[in-house]
Amino acid sequence: MKLVVFGANGPTGRLLTQQALDEGHTVTAVTRRPDEFPLTAPQLRVSGGDALDPAAVARAVAGQDRVISTLGVPYTKEPVTTFSQGTRNIAEAMSRHGLRRLVCVSSIGVHTDIPPEMTFLFRRVVGPVLLSMGRSVYEDVRRMEQIVRATDLDWTIVRPSGLFDTAAVSDYGVMVAPQRVTGMFTSRADLADLLLREAVDDRHVRACIEVTTTQGTPNYLKVFVKEALHIGG
């Protein structure tokens, strides 16, 4: 299958690209910095382009079978349009070229409420601070979800929790919205695996799903410090 991955040079995008290549798929990896993309393979094409550039998006989408978006930006106080405008360009290019299947990464942060089963410290301190820090990002993610829902594409929106790194895919949990997952973290390996499964196997078409890792999760205070200091991606 021919897959195109937007945001391919991010941590999740690289994992997803490698997993897809390992399974024998042909991948077009779209990144603003193609010279820095670390992966190579006979069935890999690295396409330089920005999701905010409609012409670059159209070139990348043409001739593909499925589209996966792992677009992301760090927390910022400045207005964010990467998710909404980038995804609008992707959806329009897909419609123009006759593609149907779109899988895109959202965030559990689209929820303004914090589940009561979370710890007191998380509900009263960590969660509210993270939601405040990421306000402009989450606002644009909500706009992105609205844009995707309004299309006639066969879409799936995937909402991970706090992202962290692991060496392998685990037995992660998935829930279909409006049901809520209870975990606080999602490994990037699990997220990448789910994105690939959704795109290739046509699972959860026209649905929002939440994913959490249930094994080997980190200390949330360490993750909180990492996010607060803008360290890593």
Side-chain angles (χ1 to χ4, degrees):
M1 186 171 290
K2 292 184 289 186
L3 308 174
V4 56
V5 178
F6 287 90
N9 206 22
T12 301
R14 290 193 295 269
L15 289 171
L16 168 62
T17 299
Q18 187 63 66
Q19 289 182 16
L21 293 170
D22 290 344
E23 293 188 13
H25 299 290
T26 298
V27 181
T28 295
V30 184
T31 171
R32 292 183 292 115
R33 299 179 297 276
D35 294 340
E36 299 177 12
F37 196 69
L39 305 179
T40 59
Q43 67 270 36
L44 172 66
R45 178 171 71 97
V46 181
S47 177
D50 191 325
L52 299 181
D53 179 354
V57 171
R59 287 193 299 270
V61 165
Q64 306 299 319
D65 296 320
R66 309 291 169 89
V67 179
I68 306 174
S69 172
T70 63
L71 295 174
V73 297
Y75 286 163
T76 176
K77 295 181 180 180
E78 300 301 319
V80 175
T81 62
T82 299
F83 297 98
S84 58
Q85 189 56 55
T87 303
R88 187 188 302 277
N89 291 339
I90 291 169
E92 290 176 352
M94 290 178 65
S95 296
R96 189 177 312 123
H97 289 283
L99 278 71
R100 297 290 310 162
R101 187 70 173 123
L102 170 64
V103 180
C104 55
V105 175
S106 177
S107 172
I108 203 74
V110 298
H111 297 296
T112 56
D113 62 310
I114 300 174
E117 62 269 20
M118 296 299 186
T119 65
F120 178 84
L121 181 60
F122 189 90
R123 286 188 288 109
R124 296 299 186 185
V125 179
V126 177
V129 170
L130 289 175
L131 288 173
S132 177
M133 288 169 52
R135 181 178 292 111
S136 60
V137 172
Y138 296 139
E139 287 174 350
D140 198 47
V141 170
R142 293 186 193 99
R143 290 192 291 269
M144 177 199 73
E145 288 200 4
Q146 293 173 351
I147 290 168
V148 171
R149 289 171 180 269
T151 71
D152 62 355
L153 300 174
D154 297 329
W155 52 265
T156 301
I157 294 170
V158 179
R159 297 171 179 164
S161 295
L163 292 171
F164 71 104
D165 296 312
T166 56
V169 176
S170 73
D171 185 18
Y172 52 85
V174 178
M175 297 290 286
V176 179
Q179 292 181 299
R180 298 285 304 276
V181 294
T182 57
M184 292 187 289
F185 300 104
T186 307
S187 81
R188 290 184 173 90
D190 289 347
L191 175 58
D193 183 76
L194 178 60
L195 292 170
L196 185 57
R197 300 281 68 78
E198 292 291 331
V200 173
D201 300 335
D202 289 335
R203 302 178 182 178
H204 302 106
V205 175
R206 298 188 70 81
C208 292
I209 58 176
E210 298 186 2
V211 53
T212 56
T213 297
T214 58
Q215 304 167 344
T217 55
N219 181 299
Y220 68 80
L221 285 177
K222 292 181 179 179
V223 174
F224 168 71
V225 171
K226 175 181 176 181
E227 295 295 340
L229 295 176
H230 294 246
I231 301 173

